[in-house]
């Protein structure tokens, strides 16, 4: 404890963490403006948001899994070359020759599956809470785009091991693209870089998987979180509590049944 | 007592006044009352994050990611399976024209989900007042989960019906 106290009094610590020794609520509120990590959060939330049943913390889980995928994915990138000649051998070598390679690959694989589950469950939870209603409509739309991006990230990553599972899953998945009306063959051609899954497909999926899609996802997550924070800071009481007459509530209920 | 305020540990007491306790201590807090994010929400998020990472760690220590033999365009596995999150679409593909199962249905789902907040203009949040929305969404969810399970675990060679406890064809 003495050591921690000493560290907290050093000039370097104080230059990094802009907090007083003893934090009051006022200091804590101020931290939301002075700390980068804290500015993601609103200063206050309604107590209902603390309950597990409110969100099951599925949004947090999704974000943490994205972090786990980024860290494990960057490690795997050091040892992987996206070419049909090398890809499969690289995965084998990651599993046998690279320090913690098998474990990191497992983390990446299972985090990806769990992230699809977490994002989908997050969406369902938000629906049942009615949290897509004004003023949060557009944040729901961003959330749907984030779900689609998560699926695309998972799907593009599925090809990279270049084993039978990867090759044929992607062959099945992309065969549907050719049924897009009018632009079907063009869509498939752009996706695969040729008539069938080959070396061009592997490079395209790799670039999508490690650069374009994660960048898009990270960008949209920041907007998603920013809007969440802004909306949390409004006190959004249910409309029935605004002191309207019972008739008006009745009208709304019957209006839904049309 | 002197007029000088007593300084204890860099804090000084300026005065004690009679009256009601401060707002935060006054009442039993309700669901709508606000609390500070730091520490109340932060500590919960930290615990949630640790639980998620623990699950990932344990699963990754227990189960290895699959790696089949090297890709071979001349040998088609039977059944060919899409990733599990596309299993419902693949199951639909066995029953409908690919234009319907591969393009129209996924397009309608994504489009419908995006349009949801603009279609459902009922401002009510209480479950009893939004039965239609809940029922429609629940039906969609159940159908989708059932189709995913069928496509993932109940389909074998030539997309024929198998019982997963007899033959396992699910791929992760």
């Amino acid at each position: 404890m003495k050591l921690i106290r000493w560290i907290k009094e050093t000039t370097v610590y104080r230059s990094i963490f802009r907090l007083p020794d003893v934090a009051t609520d006022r200091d804590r509120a101020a931290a939301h403006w002075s700390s980068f990590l804290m500015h993601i959060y609103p200063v206050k939330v309604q107590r209902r948001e603390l309950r597990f049943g409110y969100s099951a913390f599925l949004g947090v889980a999704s974000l943490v899994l994205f972090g786990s995928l980024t860290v494990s994915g960057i490690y795997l990138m050091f040892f992987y070359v996206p070419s049909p000649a090398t890809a499969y051998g690289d995965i084998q070598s990651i599993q046998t020759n690279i320090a913690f390679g098998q474990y990191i690959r497992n983390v990446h694989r299972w985090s990806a599956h769990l992230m699809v589950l977490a994002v989908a469950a997050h969406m369902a939870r938000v629906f049942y809470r009615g949290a897509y209603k004004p003023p949060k409509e557009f944040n729901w739309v961003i959330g749907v785009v984030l779900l689609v991006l998560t699926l695309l990230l998972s799907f593009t990553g599925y090809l990279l091991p270049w084993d039978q599972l990867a090759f044929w899953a992607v062959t099945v998945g992309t065969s549907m693209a050719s049924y897009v009306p009018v632009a079907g063959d063009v869509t498939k051609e752009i996706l695969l870089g040729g008539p069938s899954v080959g070396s061009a497909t592997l490079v395209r999926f790799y670039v999508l998987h490690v650069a374009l899609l994660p960048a898009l996802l990270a960008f949209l997550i920041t907007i998603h979180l920013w809007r969440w924070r802004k909306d949390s800071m409004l006190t959004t009481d249910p409309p029935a509590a605004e002191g309207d007459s019972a008739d008006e509530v009745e009208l709304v209920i019957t209006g839904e049944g049309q | 007592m002197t007029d000088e305020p007593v300084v204890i540990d860099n804090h000084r007491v300026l005065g004690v006044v009679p009256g009601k306790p401060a707002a935060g201590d006054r009442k039993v807090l309700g669901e709508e009352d606000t609390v500070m994010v730091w520490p109340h929400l932060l500590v919960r998020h930290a615990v949630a994050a640790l639980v998620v990472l623990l699950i990932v760690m344990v699963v990754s220590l227990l189960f290895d990611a699959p790696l089949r033999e090297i890709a071979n365009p001349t040998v088609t596995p039977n059944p060919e399976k899409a990733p599990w999150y596309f299993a419902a679409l693949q199951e639909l593909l066995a029953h409908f024209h690919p234009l319907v199962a591969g393009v129209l249905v996924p397009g309608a789902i994504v489009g419908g989900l995006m349009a949801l907040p603009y279609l459902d203009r009922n401002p009510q949040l209480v479950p009893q007042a939004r039965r239609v929305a809940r029922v429609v969404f629940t039906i969609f969810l159940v159908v989708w989960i059932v189709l995913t399970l069928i496509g993932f675990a109940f389909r074998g060679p030539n997309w024929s019906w198998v019982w997963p406890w007899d033959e396992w064809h699910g791929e992760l």
Side-chain angles (χ1 to χ4, degrees):
Chain A
M1 289 312 286
K2 229 176 180 179
L3 182 69
I4 292 170
R5 209 180 166 78
W6 178 81
I7 290 170
K8 282 188 166 184
E9 279 166 10
T10 57
T11 310
V12 173
Y13 181 92
R14 280 166 186 274
S15 74
I16 299 170
F17 301 101
R18 306 171 167 202
L19 299 166
D21 297 345
V22 182
T24 63
D25 275 359
R26 197 163 165 276
D27 299 322
R28 286 169 181 157
H32 289 265
W33 275 263
S34 63
S35 156
F36 175 76
L37 288 176
M38 287 290 285
H39 97 278
I40 296 166
Y41 282 96
V43 176
K44 289 186 167 195
V45 288
Q46 293 186 338
R47 279 182 82 236
R48 69 171 98 224
E49 288 201 36
L50 300 180
R51 276 190 293 111
F52 180 81
Y54 179 84
S55 65
F57 301 114
L58 287 163
V60 180
S62 306
L63 188 63
V64 168
L65 288 167
F66 181 54
S68 153
L69 284 160
T70 307
V71 172
S72 57
I74 288 173
Y75 188 74
L76 294 173
M77 276 176 78
F78 282 115
F79 312 109
Y80 176 84
V81 178
S83 133
T86 55
Y88 187 76
D90 286 347
I91 301 292
Q92 283 180 318
S93 132
I94 284 170
Q95 293 189 160
T96 50
N97 298 338
I98 306 297
F100 301 107
Q102 176 77 67
Y103 174 72
I104 298 290
R105 180 166 181 246
N106 295 349
V107 166
H108 199 72
R109 186 79 168 200
W110 303 133
S111 294
H113 286 325
L114 285 172
M115 186 176 167
V116 174
L117 283 176
V119 173
H122 177 49
M123 191 186 75
R125 193 70 209 91
V126 167
F127 171 84
Y128 285 112
R129 202 164 70 223
Y132 57 87
K133 304 203 170 192
K136 299 177 185 168
E137 302 106 306
F138 193 66
N139 218 14
W140 166 273
V141 176
I142 294 173
V144 175
V145 177
L146 286 172
L147 172 67
V148 172
L149 284 176
T150 305
L151 290 174
L152 289 178
L153 264 167
S154 196
F155 186 62
T156 50
Y158 214 81
L159 181 66
L160 303 187
W162 203 250
D163 61 347
Q164 280 290 73
L165 187 58
F167 186 88
W168 290 101
V170 170
T171 301
V172 174
T174 50
S175 66
M176 288 179 215
S178 54
Y179 293 101
V180 173
V182 188
D185 290 334
V186 178
T187 311
K188 198 178 166 188
E189 178 82 27
I190 290 172
L191 215 56
L192 298 184
S196 61
V197 178
S199 61
T201 319
L202 188 53
V203 173
R204 279 174 199 213
F205 274 44
Y206 180 74
V207 173
L208 287 174
H209 186 74
V210 304
L212 189 61
L213 292 173
L216 258 176
L217 193 78
F219 174 66
L220 286 178
I221 286 173
T222 57
I223 297 179
H224 197 61
L225 293 179
W226 182 81
R227 292 186 81 112
W228 166 74
R229 169 181 179 272
K230 288 287 175 188
D231 292 339
S232 298
M233 289 167 93
L234 305 168
T235 45
T236 44
D237 289 322
E242 279 171 13
D244 295 328
S245 65
D247 303 340
E248 210 171 320
V249 175
E250 187 61 35
L251 195 77
V252 171
I253 295 168
T254 49
E256 189 201 43
Q258 285 169 1
Chain B
M1 288 288 282
T2 59
D3 289 343
E4 280 295 301
V6 183
V7 177
I8 302 166
D9 196 17
N10 291 328
H11 291 69
R12 54 184 186 157
V13 177
L14 290 174
V16 179
V17 289
K20 285 190 282 186
D25 314 322
R26 192 166 55 237
K27 55 178 179 176
V28 180
L29 293 172
E31 291 278 83
E32 278 76 35
D33 285 305
T34 54
V35 289
M36 296 296 290
V37 161
W38 176 17
H40 299 284
L41 192 62
L42 284 188
V43 73
R44 283 163 176 83
H45 280 185
V47 171
L50 288 175
V51 169
V52 170
L53 289 176
L54 185 73
I55 292 170
V56 170
M57 196 180 89
V58 169
V59 171
S60 300
L61 288 172
L62 291 180
F63 305 101
D64 281 345
L67 185 67
R68 305 274 179 271
E69 54 281 17
I70 190 166
N72 185 350
T74 59
V75 178
T76 312
N78 191 3
E80 292 178 74
K81 289 226 174 184
W84 64 268
Y85 37 84
F86 290 149
L89 285 178
Q90 205 185 358
E91 176 61 24
L92 284 178
L93 205 59
H95 305 284
F96 297 99
H97 187 272
L99 178 64
V100 177
V103 181
L104 294 183
V105 169
I109 291 173
V110 173
L113 284 173
M114 283 187 179
L116 170 71
Y118 307 101
L119 297 174
D120 174 19
R121 299 307 289 176
N122 170 13
Q124 293 293 313
L125 290 174
V126 282
Q128 301 90 299
R130 42 193 295 260
R131 287 210 177 89
V132 176
R134 281 193 314 145
V135 166
V136 170
F137 190 82
T138 306
I139 289 172
F140 160 71
L141 214 56
V142 170
V143 167
W144 202 250
I145 290 170
V146 168
L147 284 175
T148 301
L149 277 177
I150 291 174
F152 175 67
F154 290 84
R155 290 298 184 177
N158 304 316
W159 213 247
S160 61
W161 186 272
V162 295
W163 297 104
W165 46 89
D166 291 336
E167 312 172 46
W168 180 256
H169 293 282
E171 302 272 20
L172 286 169

